[in-house]
């Protein structure tokens, strides 16, 4: 197809580099291995990476701990953080020094960046790390942090090989097998940001197995035989991966390896053990209330060392845990607690590797670990996840060469990988549970265990080895798609068509032979995408009923397909194609039947990495579509006001629409609202007729598109609205200005962070000037004069913009609390209180958690609200939002202050549900959602 971009893997093949470099960018440790392809015989070597260590010395180490630390001003003498290649005075460090020193200053430390790369609950491209960090620390995105690790590795390599810069070498980056397409794209983006364009990806379990093959190059064929199934258990600091590799007989009686199954994504690893141990020890340091976030972070980092000591060989009976004091210096006033070997092992083994049956499923309860904001697996029992994986993939064990398989779920061989298995206690427990599942048939059975000498280096070594396999050397693991991919199609029942089957090889083009589709062009459309890790036998073009237990939705492709004739609209017949690239990305495109036109479809990475575009998951479509005769009447009323020939009064339009539809506008279905939006956009020129026309047009447009997300292609609709309206009022009267503010408030959830800043910045300027005049008596007006009576909708708009930086929100909250007691602002008080509740909320309506204002900043706001002598329901609602319990110590107010707020609500006759939300947490009811959003939501749409 002429419209396809060059394949990155093709570019790598054109100019083979001298070195092949494997990089394991792990959650807790990174490692680098390389092969000199000009050597014969070639060898895999480890790159020792210079880095700062505990004493501040620059030493090369075989691993680079995946930790990032930013020093405070004057924290170290000049030159203390300088590395051999540093051209200027750095204030950051990565590696051993960052890990060890950062344990004492956790607010300046970034850890688990790899886990954040696959966290769909935050904007992964936004500067949000360190999570709840110090105010003077530069915030970085998960992509930025990953890129900084790669920059450190790049600079270390270039110093070691000045004539062969890393940017010109073929790189093999590793990632968890369960990383979806979004996380893979972000990994490639991090490499590109570090100036490393020549990248292919490999799954870590495969890389670990390649390392085993390389280590046993002279005898691996004697270690395995056709028909066997190898289970790779890869558990690191942040993720758990299970992979099945089947051994098959090839031509010439040779042995081949086929990767046949990959488990679902599990954010579950060594970090979870650290958290669990910290929860056990916390009451021994503070029985009355939780530790402060700062103390808690220190305890969690300390628990990593306690865990490694007590789960290791020759472990002592007890370990003393020291926790620094809670003062500003973190020194003095420290406390101690004892952790015994037996209690730690019992807690961690029963919590994470409990004995269970093979037919048990993971439990669906919510994970109690929310302190770091990461969406950990709901069930911490790794053994239950493994049992579910083996039973779900029983069919892949059936092999015609082996007739005496006792249980098709049973693996024959196990290969461990990841720092989790550095502990012999954890290894032996998992093997014991695994063997217990199959001993009813074979009482003496246990799997054979393959050994990789260095768990911390195996993945990097395997990645470098794989680079040589791509050049025709070594032994290849046949590893096509580990999942089956589907695209949803319109039908009476929810169905999808198999788009790319499991087992498709890199570079293979998949055609949906015999399947033609009607494709709409010139209007917003959505391609729902799904994948399945268990339906591995579906064929391309096969129509499958959508089963949410077996099929997981991906971010849909949302777009408007354009043609050369801009006005062309309608449907054309197309065929769908897919191709798996070597770098691990799935390309999808459609081509016109009997024509030459084709369109490449991109996975909507933005909607999955940023929460400014909510995932499309609502009941709006289930309301059905409006009767066309009724729509014709609605359309006629809109044209009667805004069309060139229209003469109807815009002030009577909404009343006439209510009469035509027969229901109040709050009952209009979302499908009708979006059609009203579309028609108003086509009649946009009609708002120029008069101030009344523009005011009504703005009001109805925002109402029809609220809340800016929830229906297919809403992000496109919001983008079109932004393009047409931002800064473009034809009648800049107070009425039209107010309606424009209302419109942006209504659809604010569909705006991205940059658009929200663009809205807020020019509005904040006059508010800052006014605030300065009121508080100091000095200063001039801003771009427009602000009188209190003109600002209610302005404040409501600013309060609704949840993607603004925390510093901006904090500034706005401070301004509001200083205006609230002033008599001149008494009429505006409801809007100010409403905005303060939204700005200080512990649980955003649509924004990511990294935009929540810290508890210490909102406590003075709570004090101001609770001083009102006769508070109304708006004040009570704001108090609940600010004091609401979340069970996340980084968001929750201190227990005493939350209790005080709940008692205040009770004393002022607030609803019992508001008191319950403050004391115990929970979900908003429909009335509370409506009040916090500012008005009712369209039918079928509810805030998450």
């Amino acid at each position: 197809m002429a419209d396809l971009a060059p394949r990155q893997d093709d570019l790598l093949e054109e100019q083979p580099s001298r070195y092949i470099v494997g990089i394991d960018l792990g959650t807790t440790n990174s490692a680098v291995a390389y092969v000199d392809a000009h050597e014969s015989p070639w060898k895999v070597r480890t790159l020792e990476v210079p880095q700062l260590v505990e004493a501040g010395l620059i030493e090369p180490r075989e691993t680079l701990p995946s930790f990032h630390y930013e020093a405070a001003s004057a924290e170290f003498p000049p030159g203390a953080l300088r590395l051999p290649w540093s051209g200027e005075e750095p204030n950051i460090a990565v590696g051993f020094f960052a890990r060890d020193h950062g344990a004492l200053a956790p607010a300046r430390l970034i850890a688990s960046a790899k886990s954040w790369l696959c966290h769909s609950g935050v904007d992964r491209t936004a500067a949000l790390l360190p999570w709840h960090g110090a105010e003077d620390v530069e915030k970085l995105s998960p992509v930025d942090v990953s890129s900084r690790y790669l920059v450190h590795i790049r600079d270390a390599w270039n110093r070691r090989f000045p004539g062969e810069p890393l940017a010109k070498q073929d790189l093999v980056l590793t990632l968890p097998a369960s990383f979806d397409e979004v996380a893979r794209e972000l990994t490639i983006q991090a490499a590109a940001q570090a100036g490393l364009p020549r990248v292919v990806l490999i799954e870590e379990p495969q890389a670990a197995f390649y390392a085993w093959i390389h280590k046993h190059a002279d005898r691996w064929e004697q270690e395995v035989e056709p028909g066997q199934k190898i289970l790779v258990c890869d558990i690191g600091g942040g993720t758990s991966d299970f992979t099945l590799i089947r051994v098959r007989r090839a031509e010439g009686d040779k042995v081949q390896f086929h990767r046949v199954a990959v488990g679902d994504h599990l954010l579950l690893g060594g970090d979870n053990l650290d958290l669990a141990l910290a929860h056990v020890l916390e009451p021994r340091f503070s029985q009355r209330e939780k530790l402060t976030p700062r103390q808690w972070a220190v305890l969690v980092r300390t628990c990593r060392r306690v865990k490694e000591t007590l789960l290791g060989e020759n472990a002592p009976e007890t370990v003393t845990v020291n926790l620094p004091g809670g003062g500003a210096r973190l020194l003095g006033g420290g406390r101690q607690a004892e952790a015994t070997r037996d209690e730690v092992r019992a807690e961690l083994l029963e919590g994470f590797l409990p004995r269970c049956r093979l037919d048990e499923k993971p439990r669906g309860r919510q994970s109690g670990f929310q302190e770091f904001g990461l969406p950990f697996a709901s069930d911490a029992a790794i053994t239950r996840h493994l049992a579910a994986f083996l039973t779900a993939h029983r069919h892949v064990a059936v092999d015609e060469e082996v007739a005496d398989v006792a249980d098709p779920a049973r693996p024959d061989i196990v290969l461990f990988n990841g720092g989790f298995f550095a502990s012999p206690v954890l290894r032996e427990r998992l093997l014991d549970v695994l063997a217990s599942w199959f001993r009813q048939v074979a009482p003496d059975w246990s799997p054979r265990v393959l050994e990789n000498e260095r768990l911390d280096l195996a993945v990097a070594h395997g990645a470098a080895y794989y680079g040589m396999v791509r050049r025709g050397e070594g032994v290849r693991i046949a590893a096509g798609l580990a999942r089956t991919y589907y695209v949803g199609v319109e039908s009476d029942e929810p169905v999808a068509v198999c788009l790319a089957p499991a087992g498709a090889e890199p570079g293979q083009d998949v055609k949906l032979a015999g399947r033609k589709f009607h494709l709409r062009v010139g209007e917003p459309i959505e391609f729902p995408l799904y994948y399945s890790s268990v339906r591995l036998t579906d064929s391309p073009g096969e129509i499958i009923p959508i089963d949410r237990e077996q099929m997981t939705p991906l971010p849909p492709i949302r777009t408007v397909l354009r043609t050369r004739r801009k006005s062309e609209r309608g449907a054309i017949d197309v065929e769908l194609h897919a191709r798996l690239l070597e770098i691990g990305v799935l390309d999808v495109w459609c081509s016109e039947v009997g024509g030459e036109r084709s369109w490449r479809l991109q996975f909507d990475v933005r909607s999955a990495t940023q929460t400014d575009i909510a995932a499309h998951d609502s009941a709006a479509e289930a309301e059905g579509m409006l009767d066309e005769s009724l729509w014709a009447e609605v359309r006629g009323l809109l044209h009667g006001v805004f069309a060139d020939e229209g003469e109807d009064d815009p002030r009577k339009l909404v009343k006439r629409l209510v009469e035509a539809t027969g229901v109040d506008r709050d009952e209009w279905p979302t499908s009708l609202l979006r059609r009203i939006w579309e028609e108003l956009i086509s009649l946009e020129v009609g708002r120029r007729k008069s101030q009344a026309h523009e005011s009504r047009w703005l009001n109805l447009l925002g109402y029809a598109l609220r809340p800016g997300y929830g229906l297919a292609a809403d992000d496109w609709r919001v983008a079109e609205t932004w393009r047409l309206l931002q800064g473009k009022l034809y009648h800049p009267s107070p009425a039209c200005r107010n309606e424009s503010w209302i419109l942006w408030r209504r659809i604010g959830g569909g705006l991205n962070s940059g658009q929200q800043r663009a809205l807020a910045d020019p509005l904040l300027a006059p508010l800052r000037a006014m605030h300065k005049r009121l508080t100091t008596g000095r200063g001039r007006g801003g771009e427009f004069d602000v009188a209190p009576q003109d600002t209610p909708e302005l404040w409501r708009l600013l309060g609704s913009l949840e993607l603004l930086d925390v510093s901006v929100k904090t500034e706005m909250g401070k301004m509001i609390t200083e205006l609230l007691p002033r008599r001149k602002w008494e009429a505006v008080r409801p809007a100010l209180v409403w905005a303060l509740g939204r700005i200080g909320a512990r649980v955003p309506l649509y924004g990511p958690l990294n935009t929540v204002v810290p508890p210490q900043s909102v406590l003075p706001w709570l004090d101001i609200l609770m001083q009102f002598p006769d508070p109304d329901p708006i004040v009570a609602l704001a108090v609940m939002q600010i004091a609401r319990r979340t069970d996340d110590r980084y968001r929750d107010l201190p227990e005493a202050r939350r209790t005080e707020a709940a008692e205040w609500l009770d004393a002022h006759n607030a609803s019992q549900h508001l008191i319950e939300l403050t004391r115990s947490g929970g979900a908003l009811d429909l009335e509370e959602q409506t009040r916090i959003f500012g008005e009712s939501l369209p039918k079928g749409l509810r805030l998450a």
Side-chain angles (χ1 to χ4, degrees):
M1 291 292 169
D3 58 332
L4 287 177
R7 289 170 51 191
Q8 189 167 349
D9 46 312
D10 287 340
L11 295 176
L12 294 184
E13 293 293 347
E14 290 176 3
Q15 299 176 336
S17 62
R18 173 173 177 174
Y19 291 99
I20 295 172
V21 184
I23 301 178
D24 172 20
L25 208 60
T27 304
T28 54
N29 281 294
S30 300
V32 184
Y34 63 97
V35 171
D36 185 345
H38 292 183
E39 274 189 338
S40 182
W42 50 270
K43 298 179 180 179
V44 178
R45 295 181 171 88
T46 303
L47 177 71
E48 293 191 337
V49 181
Q51 56 195 296
L52 299 169
V53 293
E54 294 88 337
L57 301 175
I58 299 172
E59 292 186 0
R61 297 289 182 94
E62 290 182 322
T63 60
L64 176 76
S66 302
F67 293 82
H68 179 286
Y69 181 82
E70 179 181 333
S73 177
E75 182 178 359
F76 300 104
L81 300 183
R82 184 174 292 144
L83 289 159
W85 52 80
S86 298
E88 54 188 29
E89 186 65 38
N91 69 329
I92 65 165
V94 301
F96 280 96
F97 182 84
R99 183 195 69 186
D100 298 334
H101 187 77
L104 298 176
R108 315 190 73 83
L109 178 70
I110 298 175
S112 303
K114 190 173 186 177
S115 296
W116 287 95
L117 271 181
C118 54
H119 184 355
S120 60
V122 299
D123 178 352
R124 288 172 270 180
T125 61
L128 54 89
L129 300 176
W131 189 247
H132 300 292
E135 292 185 1
D136 62 330
V137 170
E138 178 191 9
K139 293 294 187 73
L140 302 172
S141 73
V143 176
D144 293 335
V145 179
S146 301
S147 179
R148 288 201 177 184
Y149 298 150
L150 290 171
V151 166
H152 186 98
I153 291 169
R154 181 200 67 195
D155 293 342
W157 172 277
N158 291 347
R159 180 173 180 267
R160 172 71 176 79
F161 301 100
E164 296 285 347
L166 190 60
K168 294 185 178 181
Q169 310 311 310
D170 292 349
L171 267 61
V172 182
L173 272 180
T174 70
L175 39 69
S178 54
F179 257 28
D180 62 15
E181 279 61 37
V182 174
R184 291 167 188 253
E185 290 275 7
L186 293 175
T187 302
I188 294 170
Q189 181 181 329
Q193 199 168 303
L196 304 174
R198 303 168 62 92
V199 171
V200 296
L201 305 177
I202 184 175
E203 298 163 2
E204 289 163 3
Q206 279 191 72
F209 192 68
Y210 272 128
W212 179 83
I213 294 174
H214 174 60
K215 187 68 177 177
H216 302 84
D218 56 343
R219 66 180 191 278
W220 66 264
E221 288 186 275
Q222 287 77 50
E223 299 283 336
V224 297
E225 58 186 56
Q228 288 182 324
K229 189 154 88 278
I230 302 168
L231 168 65
V232 182
C233 289
D234 183 7
I235 305 178
T239 58
S240 292
D241 266 327
F242 305 123
T243 294
L244 287 175
I245 297 173
R246 188 157 59 186
V247 186
R248 287 176 172 163
R249 194 180 307 279
E251 295 181 6
D253 209 29
K254 291 185 177 293
V255 169
Q256 278 189 341
F257 298 108
H258 288 252
R259 196 279 315 280
V260 292
V262 169
D264 290 329
H265 177 70
L266 290 175
L267 198 60
L268 180 61
D271 290 350
N272 298 76
L273 274 68
D274 303 341
L275 283 166
L277 186 53
H279 275 287
V280 171
L281 296 179
E282 182 179 22
R284 303 178 191 180
F285 294 102
S286 179
Q287 294 182 355
R288 294 182 179 178
E289 58 184 22
K290 291 182 176 181
L291 294 173
T292 66
R294 195 180 192 191
Q295 291 174 315
W296 171 254
V298 172
L299 178 60
V300 172
R301 302 295 174 217
T302 305
C303 283
R304 176 178 58 83
R305 298 180 183 178
V306 174
K307 172 197 69 179
E308 292 171 354
T309 301
L310 296 180
L311 292 180
E313 296 181 357
N314 304 317
E317 291 187 6
T318 62
V319 167
T320 300
V321 182
N322 296 293
L323 185 65
R329 296 174 53 206
L330 261 181
L331 296 174
R335 287 169 280 179
Q336 293 183 339
E338 296 292 323
T340 69
R341 178 184 60 204
D342 292 344
E343 69 169 336
V344 168
R345 290 186 175 186
E347 180 73 27
L348 299 183
L349 289 178
E350 294 307 316
F352 293 90
L353 297 173
R355 301 184 187 281
C356 62
R357 301 186 312 275
L358 181 60
D359 60 356
E360 283 193 48
K361 303 295 182 187
R363 296 169 184 171
R365 66 178 183 270
Q366 184 179 2
S367 170
F369 298 148
Q370 301 183 46
E371 281 81 1
F372 291 163
L374 289 168
F376 293 119
S378 59
D379 188 349
I382 294 170
T383 43
R384 281 195 284 269
H385 290 288
L386 177 58
F389 170 72
L390 292 175
T391 54
H393 296 91
R394 263 192 166 104
H395 63 279
V396 305
V398 178
D399 197 303
E400 63 277 4
E401 298 183 54
V402 180
D404 61 346
V405 177
D407 187 324
R410 190 184 82 184
D412 303 285
I413 299 171
V414 174
L415 174 66
F416 290 125
N417 188 65
F420 183 89
F421 293 112
S423 164
V425 177
L426 299 179
R427 284 200 310 271
E428 291 165 10
R429 177 57 170 263
L430 190 141
L431 285 172
D432 188 35
V433 175
L434 178 61
S436 72
W437 293 336
F438 307 103
R439 280 179 179 157
Q440 286 185 342
V441 177
D444 297 328
W445 178 85
S446 61
R448 193 159 66 84
V449 179
L450 303 180
E451 295 291 343
N452 264 334
E453 291 181 4
R454 291 287 300 272
L455 294 176
D456 55 344
L457 300 179
V459 168
H461 278 237
Y465 178 88
Y466 171 65
M468 292 302 293
V469 169
R470 294 183 66 252
R471 297 192 184 186
E473 304 279 349
V475 179
R476 175 181 287 271
I477 302 171
L481 275 180
R483 306 175 178 89
T484 304
Y485 288 81
Y486 308 85
V487 59
V489 294
E490 291 184 7
S491 175
D492 294 336
E493 299 292 333
V495 297
V497 174
C498 178
L499 179 63
E505 295 287 338
Q508 176 183 345
D509 290 338
V510 180
K511 253 186 145 177
L512 276 61
R515 290 286 180 200
K516 294 181 181 178
F517 301 88
H518 298 299
L519 179 70
R520 297 193 303 273
V521 296
E523 57 186 282
I525 55 176
E526 176 176 271
F527 295 83
L529 297 170
Y530 305 87
Y531 73 84
S532 175
S533 299
V534 295
R535 299 186 62 97
L536 305 181
T537 58
D538 295 333
S539 302
E542 189 174 350
I543 296 178
I544 308 295
I546 294 175
D547 182 348
R548 290 298 292 270
E549 289 192 1
Q550 294 187 325
M551 301 165 71
T552 302
L554 280 167
I557 298 173
R558 295 166 176 162
T559 188
V560 176
L561 300 179
R562 304 290 188 186
T563 66
R564 292 183 179 179
R565 298 188 297 276
K566 292 185 178 180
S567 61
E568 181 179 358
R569 304 184 75 165
I572 61 174
D573 290 339
V574 298
E575 291 180 337
L576 288 180
H577 309 259
R579 182 171 66 191
L580 176 66
L581 300 186
E582 186 85 32
I583 58 175
V585 177
L586 188 67
D587 258 358
V588 183
W589 72 98
C590 49
S591 56
E592 183 180 17
V593 175
E596 297 182 353
R597 294 182 296 181
S598 63
W599 293 265
R600 182 176 181 176
L601 308 177
Q602 296 288 338
F603 280 103
D604 192 353
V605 175
R606 187 172 67 93
S607 68
T609 59
Q610 299 179 5
T611 54
D612 52 43
I613 302 177
H616 170 50
D617 184 12
S618 76
E621 286 88 343
E623 304 165 14
M625 303 306 292
L626 200 67
D627 177 77
E628 286 302 310
S629 62
L630 180 56
W631 167 244
E633 187 175 354
V634 170
R635 184 175 181 274
L637 290 171
L638 297 174
H639 278 255
V641 173
F642 298 110
D644 290 342
E645 65 278 8
E647 297 181 355
D648 293 347
D649 187 348
R651 293 169 294 184
K652 299 179 181 180
L653 176 59
V654 172
K655 181 179 179 181
R656 290 175 176 172
L657 289 172
V658 168
E659 292 170 350
T661 58
V663 294
D664 187 75
R665 69 174 189 167
D666 288 345
E667 296 297 313
W668 289 348
T670 314
S671 55
L672 169 61
L673 290 167
R674 297 309 189 255
R675 291 189 75 171
I676 290 175
W677 173 89
E678 185 175 351
E679 202 63 35
L680 288 171
I681 289 294
S682 71
L683 296 168
E684 186 264 342
V685 69
R687 67 179 171 127
R688 307 182 188 187
K689 291 184 176 184
S690 71
Q691 172 186 308
H693 281 81
E694 183 164 32
S695 178
R696 175 55 60 200
W697 187 89
L698 292 167
N699 180 279
L700 194 53
L701 189 80
Y703 190 82
L705 190 50
R706 75 192 200 287
Y709 58 89
L711 203 68
D714 270 353
D715 56 332
W716 175 82
R717 295 184 182 97
V718 170
E720 286 294 292
T721 305
W722 179 265
R723 182 180 63 82
L724 280 173
L725 295 185
Q726 170 57 4
K728 299 173 184 174
L729 285 181
Y730 291 106
H731 304 279
S733 64
C736 288
R737 191 171 64 186
N738 264 348
E739 290 297 345
S740 72
W741 292 340
I742 293 171
L743 180 149
W744 295 124
R745 171 178 58 80
R746 283 172 165 166
I747 69 172
L751 298 171
N752 63 40
S753 57
Q755 290 167 334
Q756 291 197 3
R757 285 195 302 272
L759 277 177
D761 286 347
L763 299 178
L764 283 170
L767 289 176
R768 288 183 178 117
M770 172 213 63
H771 177 260
K772 185 177 181 180
R773 289 199 306 272
L774 289 173
T775 55
T776 68
R778 299 190 301 273
R780 299 180 179 179
E783 294 180 12
F784 58 89
D785 291 331
V786 179
Q789 64 271 18
D790 295 333
T791 63
E793 294 304 336
L794 176 118
W795 283 113
R796 288 190 180 99
L797 168 59
L798 291 173
S800 71
L801 301 179
E802 294 186 351
L803 303 183
L804 294 178
D805 291 342
V806 170
S807 60
V808 175
K809 291 183 176 182
T810 304
E811 178 192 9
M812 291 193 300
K814 187 173 182 294
M815 280 197 287
I816 290 173
T817 55
E818 292 180 354
L819 294 175
L820 277 173
R822 296 177 179 267
R823 294 189 62 181
K824 280 189 177 182
W825 289 80
E826 192 169 347
V828 188
R829 187 174 293 163
L832 292 174
V833 171
W834 183 92
L836 191 65
R838 285 290 299 270
I839 294 168
R842 302 298 84 204
V843 182
L845 285 188
Y846 62 84
L849 298 182
N850 56 287
T851 61
V852 174
V853 179
Q856 63 269 24
S857 298
V858 302
L859 286 174
W861 308 353
L862 187 65
D863 292 335
I864 295 291
L865 292 174
M866 291 168 57
Q867 289 172 8
F868 283 110
D870 299 307
D872 57 26
I874 296 178
V875 177
L877 187 68
V879 167
M880 181 279 294
Q881 288 176 271
I882 292 174
R884 183 177 174 185
R885 180 170 181 164
T886 69
D887 286 325
D888 177 351
R889 76 185 69 229
Y890 290 93
R891 285 185 286 155
D892 279 346
L893 304 189
E895 181 70 31
R897 298 305 308 275
R898 189 170 62 248
T899 300
E900 180 185 352
E903 292 173 349
W904 183 90
L905 289 169
D906 192 16
H908 289 84
N909 301 315
S911 73
Q912 284 301 309
H913 196 238
L914 291 185
I915 299 170
E916 181 183 345
L917 289 170
T918 304
R919 289 190 187 277
S920 308
L924 300 173
D925 62 29
L926 182 57
E927 180 187 354
E928 290 157 354
Q929 286 192 18
T930 298
R931 292 167 61 196
I932 292 174
F933 180 68
E935 61 189 312
S936 65
L937 288 163
K939 282 189 65 178
L941 291 181
R942 294 292 176 264
L943 297 171

